[in-house]
Amino acid sequence: MSKQDSRPAGFRTRAVHAGHGLDPVTGAHAVPIYATSTFGYGNAERGARLFAGEEQGYFYSRLSNPTVRAFEEKVASLEGAEDAVAFGSGMGAASAIALTLLTSGDEVAFVGPLYGGTEGLLRDILGRFGVTVREAGDLEELREVVSERTRLVWLETPTNPTLKIVDLHAASEVARAAGALVVVDNTFSTPYLTRPLEHGADLVMHSATKYLGGHGDVIAGVVAGRAELISELRLHGLRHVGSVLGPFEAYLLLRGLKTLPLRMEAHCANAAALTEALQGHPALGALHYPGLPTHPGHEVAARQMRAFGGLLSLDLGSVEAAFAFLDGLRLFTQAVSLGDVESLSCHPGSTTHHLLGEETLERQGVTPGLVRLSVGIEDAGDLIEDVLGALERVPVAAGR
Ligand SMILES: *Cc1c(COP(=O)(O)O)cnc(C)c1O
């Protein structure tokens, strides 16, 4: 499906076909793994033209590789973007954005909580180079912290692990008014559920490790957006920083993306069924899922998401109760990461978020009893039985 003949095809069709056709040399139906570091350019004249950017072509796999390129084009198509660039991890993508677009004296504003690694990158690393971070808790606070010094507004929705919903359209307007670019980390929603560029974002990034790959067998990242921004990221953030995606990983991602819509439907349906089964359970202090009408972001989520996602979090009141619950699960593997076909469970306060410190955790609502569930695509009945069984091991706190 080349750019020229792309009639607007549906999302599922693009997930299967976009970014590649038959291999031009052999007719191979699956995209070949081009395991090569360098590409002969044939003659010195052509080499000079390639390096001058006067001719498009492959010459070194740190900048571009045919298998990786097919993955980039598929993601660009799914996000409705002009172009995309792949990285060796989600953090590789985030650092490429930060190191390409930020300079000393700039400010980055975000609606917290952000993914722990992203916050660490912005505060601890960019902070040493004169970049200042301004945290907001919601849209109102974002309006207050954004100024003419704000270069980037960094957003995630739903947020990790509290599943707060950020209104992308409204937040993008706040950023635009200040002349800032909007970066949306779309890892939790995927382009099947939300396409941030349609809501005013300038760049959308992913930890492709999660739902895009979907099978828990690859670490990868990708950024999509306007061609001019993506080529800046490729020339600086990729070429000079070097978090490169390998062709084998790109092959796995291409394979995973073909079933993204089918997997997301199953993840969302299972998460909704599990939420329904858990409502009102006496061991639960709180249940965070944007599909619940009582969730504070429910209306915005219903507007900007196709369905409510595959993640939910439960508050069990204490670390002890959370650990007892986690240790009682059989199908939900205790592991960080999310978005795999397998169900996963974790205690953010002591794992993914423990570096943030008590004060930040409390401010961001990452309570000691909070457990995050990444609901897989297994049978809903089995998942419900597993979770209800594990809840039986949780002592019901006095007075609840
Ligand atoms: C996992 C994750 C990242 C980091 O991605 P890696 O592929 O692990 O480097 C960034 N943002 C979000 C929301 C994530 O869940």
Side-chain angles (χ1 to χ4, degrees), residues 88-94 114-118 154 156 158-160 185-188 205-210 218-221 337-338 372:
S89 68
M91 285 315 303
L114 276 194
Y115 179 72
T118 308
W154 206 297
E156 279 177 35
T159 60
N160 178 26
D185 182 335
N186 201 28
T187 302
F188 272 44
M205 66 151 277
H206 286 273
S207 167
T209 310
K210 317 292 168 55
V218 63
I219 298 279
S337 199
L338 58 104
R372 185 186 79 190

